[in-house]
Amino acid sequence: MTGEIWGILEIQNRRLTGSSLSLLGAGMELSRKTGNPVAGVLMAETDEDWVSDLSQRGITKVYTSFHAAFKAFRPAVFSRTVAEASRKYSPSFLLFPDSLFGREVGARTAQALDAGLIANVATVAMVNSQVLFGKSNFGGKYWIQAEAQKLPVVLIFQSGSYPAPSPSASPEFAEVIPLDAASVPQWETLVEIKRTERKSVQLEEASIIVAGGRGLGSPDGFKLLQEFASILGGEIGASRAVVDLGWISYDHQVGQTGKTVRPKLYIACGISGAVQHRAGMQNAEVIVAINKDKNAPIFQIADYGIVGDLYQVVPALIEKIKQKGLVPKV
């Protein structure tokens, strides 16, 4: 396994996504196991200061392609660029973030290269000189370890599976190796882009998350959680149940079919703790659960549990934090 480990990076709102930073952490871990070097792959409309930022994340080599075709999300353009670059430079592992971008472009790249694809990867292990990629299945009821039968292999890593690499004290300037300029395929036409007018939620980057479930009773309960999250400097998360009910948008969803997070503090309010939700947050450093049901499964993984009415507990916590200035330092 002499080829490089490529982290295919995603940009949103003119910045690298939290999923991409977590992806770099996964690449570093895979590098420690295999000895293969890590390189970033960045496709963007213009040459921004991305390279300097990446070098501070432990990346010393970046393959770049800058072209107007990357302004919009055209999966065929991104995947063809990655595939052509792979044929030229022969990486062994192509890592994609677990996002719409990563799943769409990763699948197309695997097809173009006739390569294997392992999705929903959470861990990397080396057993008897074999690299095994761990992933949960069927709502966390089964744990699977998969091995790539041939290289290259496309890997889609769960967001938050590994922490983002720490900035280097003395970062090296990244080596930029331009890829062939992309062109828009004649059979693909961009008709329209519609953007929603809402704040982008970056749960993968949050150090503190206050999450709500069906125990809130109504969507109005998120107003209380928003106040709680605001004084803590955190973000709002949610279970799939309340997202399905339309109480809050999907970008807040934590769990197997939502986002996988690794905050320093996760406060679950009115969340029972089904395996699907736990799969997305059980690696938080500290988990606090607030629930009226003392038998709720969330208490099985909580570091601290409060059995009580969240509408009494949360206001009391907010008042105490305000009085004592007990905002966590994270």
Side-chain angles (χ1 to χ4, degrees), residues 200-227:
S200 178
V201 180
Q202 298 292 339
L203 288 181
E204 302 93 338
E205 300 178 35
S207 296
I208 298 174
I209 295 175
V210 178
R214 196 164 359 197
L216 291 176
S218 76
D220 290 340
F222 279 105
K223 296 178 182 177
L224 175 62
L225 297 195
Q226 184 60 66
E227 181 184 0

CSV table of all heavy atoms in Angstrom, one decimal, residues 200-227:
chain,number,residue,atom,x,y,z
A,200,SER,N,-26.8,28.4,8.6
A,200,SER,CA,-26.2,27.0,8.4
A,200,SER,C,-25.8,26.5,9.8
A,200,SER,O,-25.1,27.2,10.5
A,200,SER,CB,-25.0,27.1,7.5
A,200,SER,OG,-24.4,25.8,7.3
A,201,VAL,N,-26.2,25.3,10.1
A,201,VAL,CA,-25.9,24.7,11.4
A,201,VAL,C,-24.7,23.8,11.2
A,201,VAL,O,-24.7,22.8,10.4
A,201,VAL,CB,-27.1,23.9,11.9
A,201,VAL,CG1,-26.7,23.3,13.3
A,201,VAL,CG2,-28.3,24.9,12.1
A,202,GLN,N,-23.6,24.1,11.9
A,202,GLN,CA,-22.4,23.2,11.8
A,202,GLN,C,-22.2,22.4,13.1
A,202,GLN,O,-21.4,22.7,13.9
A,202,GLN,CB,-21.2,24.1,11.6
A,202,GLN,CG,-21.2,24.9,10.3
A,202,GLN,CD,-21.1,24.0,9.0
A,202,GLN,OE1,-20.6,22.9,9.1
A,202,GLN,NE2,-21.6,24.5,7.9
A,203,LEU,N,-23.1,21.4,13.3
A,203,LEU,CA,-23.0,20.6,14.5
A,203,LEU,C,-21.7,19.9,14.6
A,203,LEU,O,-21.3,19.7,15.8
A,203,LEU,CB,-24.2,19.6,14.5
A,203,LEU,CG,-25.6,20.1,14.7
A,203,LEU,CD1,-26.6,19.0,14.7
A,203,LEU,CD2,-25.7,20.9,16.0
A,204,GLU,N,-21.1,19.5,13.5
A,204,GLU,CA,-19.9,18.8,13.6
A,204,GLU,C,-18.7,19.6,14.2
A,204,GLU,O,-17.8,19.0,14.8
A,204,GLU,CB,-19.4,18.3,12.2
A,204,GLU,CG,-20.4,17.5,11.4
A,204,GLU,CD,-21.3,18.3,10.5
A,204,GLU,OE1,-21.5,19.5,10.8
A,204,GLU,OE2,-21.9,17.7,9.6
A,205,GLU,N,-18.8,20.9,14.2
A,205,GLU,CA,-17.8,21.7,14.8
A,205,GLU,C,-18.1,22.2,16.2
A,205,GLU,O,-17.3,22.9,16.8
A,205,GLU,CB,-17.6,22.9,13.8
A,205,GLU,CG,-17.2,22.6,12.4
A,205,GLU,CD,-17.0,23.8,11.6
A,205,GLU,OE1,-16.6,24.9,12.1
A,205,GLU,OE2,-17.3,23.7,10.4
A,206,ALA,N,-19.4,22.0,16.6
A,206,ALA,CA,-19.8,22.5,17.9
A,206,ALA,C,-19.1,21.8,19.1
A,206,ALA,O,-19.0,20.6,19.1
A,206,ALA,CB,-21.3,22.4,18.0
A,207,SER,N,-18.7,22.6,20.1
A,207,SER,CA,-18.1,22.0,21.3
A,207,SER,C,-19.2,21.6,22.3
A,207,SER,O,-19.0,20.8,23.1
A,207,SER,CB,-17.1,23.0,21.9
A,207,SER,OG,-16.0,23.2,21.1
A,208,ILE,N,-20.3,22.3,22.2
A,208,ILE,CA,-21.5,22.1,23.1
A,208,ILE,C,-22.7,22.0,22.2
A,208,ILE,O,-23.0,22.8,21.4
A,208,ILE,CB,-21.6,23.2,24.1
A,208,ILE,CG1,-20.4,23.3,25.0
A,208,ILE,CG2,-22.9,23.0,25.0
A,208,ILE,CD1,-20.4,24.5,26.0
A,209,ILE,N,-23.5,20.9,22.5
A,209,ILE,CA,-24.8,20.7,21.8
A,209,ILE,C,-25.9,20.5,22.8
A,209,ILE,O,-25.7,19.6,23.7
A,209,ILE,CB,-24.7,19.6,20.8
A,209,ILE,CG1,-23.7,19.9,19.7
A,209,ILE,CG2,-26.1,19.3,20.2
A,209,ILE,CD1,-23.5,18.7,18.7
A,210,VAL,N,-27.0,21.2,22.7
A,210,VAL,CA,-28.2,21.0,23.5
A,210,VAL,C,-29.2,20.5,22.5
A,210,VAL,O,-29.6,21.1,21.6
A,210,VAL,CB,-28.7,22.3,24.1
A,210,VAL,CG1,-30.0,22.0,24.9
A,210,VAL,CG2,-27.6,22.9,25.1
A,211,ALA,N,-29.6,19.2,22.8
A,211,ALA,CA,-30.5,18.5,21.8
A,211,ALA,C,-31.9,18.2,22.4
A,211,ALA,O,-32.0,18.0,23.6
A,211,ALA,CB,-29.9,17.2,21.3
A,212,GLY,N,-32.9,18.3,21.6
A,212,GLY,CA,-34.3,18.1,22.1
A,212,GLY,C,-34.9,17.0,21.3
A,212,GLY,O,-34.6,16.7,20.2
A,213,GLY,N,-35.8,16.3,22.0
A,213,GLY,CA,-36.6,15.2,21.5
A,213,GLY,C,-38.0,15.4,21.7
A,213,GLY,O,-38.5,16.4,22.0
A,214,ARG,N,-38.8,14.3,21.5
A,214,ARG,CA,-40.2,14.3,21.5
A,214,ARG,C,-40.7,14.7,22.9
A,214,ARG,O,-41.8,15.2,23.1
A,214,ARG,CB,-40.8,13.0,21.1
A,214,ARG,CG,-42.3,13.1,20.8
A,214,ARG,CD,-42.9,11.9,20.0
A,214,ARG,NE,-42.0,10.9,19.7
A,214,ARG,CZ,-42.2,10.0,18.8
A,214,ARG,NH1,-43.3,10.0,18.1
A,214,ARG,NH2,-41.4,9.0,18.5
A,215,GLY,N,-39.9,14.5,23.9
A,215,GLY,CA,-40.2,14.9,25.3
A,215,GLY,C,-40.5,16.4,25.5
A,215,GLY,O,-41.0,16.9,26.5
A,216,LEU,N,-40.1,17.2,24.5
A,216,LEU,CA,-40.4,18.7,24.5
A,216,LEU,C,-41.9,18.9,24.4
A,216,LEU,O,-42.3,20.0,24.9
A,216,LEU,CB,-39.7,19.4,23.4
A,216,LEU,CG,-38.1,19.5,23.4
A,216,LEU,CD1,-37.6,20.1,22.1
A,216,LEU,CD2,-37.7,20.2,24.6
A,217,GLY,N,-42.6,18.0,23.8
A,217,GLY,CA,-44.1,18.2,23.8
A,217,GLY,C,-44.6,19.0,22.6
A,217,GLY,O,-45.7,18.8,22.1
A,218,SER,N,-43.8,20.0,22.2
A,218,SER,CA,-44.2,20.8,21.0
A,218,SER,C,-43.0,21.5,20.5
A,218,SER,O,-41.9,21.6,21.2
A,218,SER,CB,-45.3,21.8,21.5
A,218,SER,OG,-44.6,22.9,22.2
A,219,PRO,N,-43.1,22.1,19.3
A,219,PRO,CA,-41.9,22.8,18.7
A,219,PRO,C,-41.5,24.0,19.6
A,219,PRO,O,-40.4,24.5,19.5
A,219,PRO,CB,-42.4,23.2,17.3
A,219,PRO,CG,-43.9,23.1,17.3
A,219,PRO,CD,-44.2,22.0,18.3
A,220,ASP,N,-42.4,24.6,20.3
A,220,ASP,CA,-42.1,25.7,21.2
A,220,ASP,C,-41.0,25.4,22.2
A,220,ASP,O,-40.4,26.3,22.7
A,220,ASP,CB,-43.4,26.2,21.9
A,220,ASP,CG,-44.4,26.9,21.0
A,220,ASP,OD1,-43.9,27.3,19.9
A,220,ASP,OD2,-45.6,27.0,21.3
A,221,GLY,N,-40.9,24.1,22.5
A,221,GLY,CA,-39.8,23.7,23.5
A,221,GLY,C,-38.4,24.1,23.0
A,221,GLY,O,-37.5,24.3,23.9
A,222,PHE,N,-38.2,24.2,21.7
A,222,PHE,CA,-36.9,24.6,21.2
A,222,PHE,C,-36.5,26.0,21.5
A,222,PHE,O,-35.4,26.4,21.5
A,222,PHE,CB,-36.8,24.3,19.7
A,222,PHE,CG,-36.6,22.9,19.4
A,222,PHE,CD1,-37.6,22.0,18.9
A,222,PHE,CD2,-35.3,22.3,19.6
A,222,PHE,CE1,-37.3,20.7,18.6
A,222,PHE,CE2,-35.1,21.0,19.3
A,222,PHE,CZ,-36.1,20.2,18.8
A,223,LYS,N,-37.5,26.9,21.8
A,223,LYS,CA,-37.2,28.2,22.3
A,223,LYS,C,-36.5,28.2,23.6
A,223,LYS,O,-35.5,28.9,23.8
A,223,LYS,CB,-38.5,29.0,22.4
A,223,LYS,CG,-39.3,29.2,21.1
A,223,LYS,CD,-40.5,30.0,21.3
A,223,LYS,CE,-41.3,30.2,20.0
A,223,LYS,NZ,-42.6,30.9,20.2
A,224,LEU,N,-36.9,27.3,24.5
A,224,LEU,CA,-36.2,27.2,25.8
A,224,LEU,C,-34.8,26.6,25.6
A,224,LEU,O,-33.8,27.1,26.2
A,224,LEU,CB,-37.0,26.3,26.7
A,224,LEU,CG,-36.4,25.9,28.1
A,224,LEU,CD1,-36.2,27.2,28.9
A,224,LEU,CD2,-37.2,24.9,28.8
A,225,LEU,N,-34.7,25.6,24.7
A,225,LEU,CA,-33.4,25.0,24.5
A,225,LEU,C,-32.4,26.0,23.8
A,225,LEU,O,-31.2,26.0,24.0
A,225,LEU,CB,-33.5,23.7,23.6
A,225,LEU,CG,-34.3,22.6,24.2
A,225,LEU,CD1,-34.1,21.3,23.5
A,225,LEU,CD2,-34.0,22.4,25.7
A,226,GLN,N,-33.0,26.9,22.9
A,226,GLN,CA,-32.2,27.8,22.3
A,226,GLN,C,-31.6,28.8,23.3
A,226,GLN,O,-30.4,29.2,23.2
A,226,GLN,CB,-33.0,28.6,21.2
A,226,GLN,CG,-32.2,29.6,20.4
A,226,GLN,CD,-31.0,29.0,19.6
A,226,GLN,OE1,-31.3,28.2,18.7
A,226,GLN,NE2,-29.8,29.3,20.0
A,227,GLU,N,-32.4,29.2,24.3
A,227,GLU,CA,-31.9,30.1,25.3
A,227,GLU,C,-30.8,29.4,26.1
A,227,GLU,O,-29.7,30.0,26.4
A,227,GLU,CB,-33.0,30.5,26.3
A,227,GLU,CG,-32.5,31.4,27.4
A,227,GLU,CD,-33.6,31.7,28.4
A,227,GLU,OE1,-34.8,31.2,28.2
A,227,GLU,OE2,-33.4,32.4,29.4
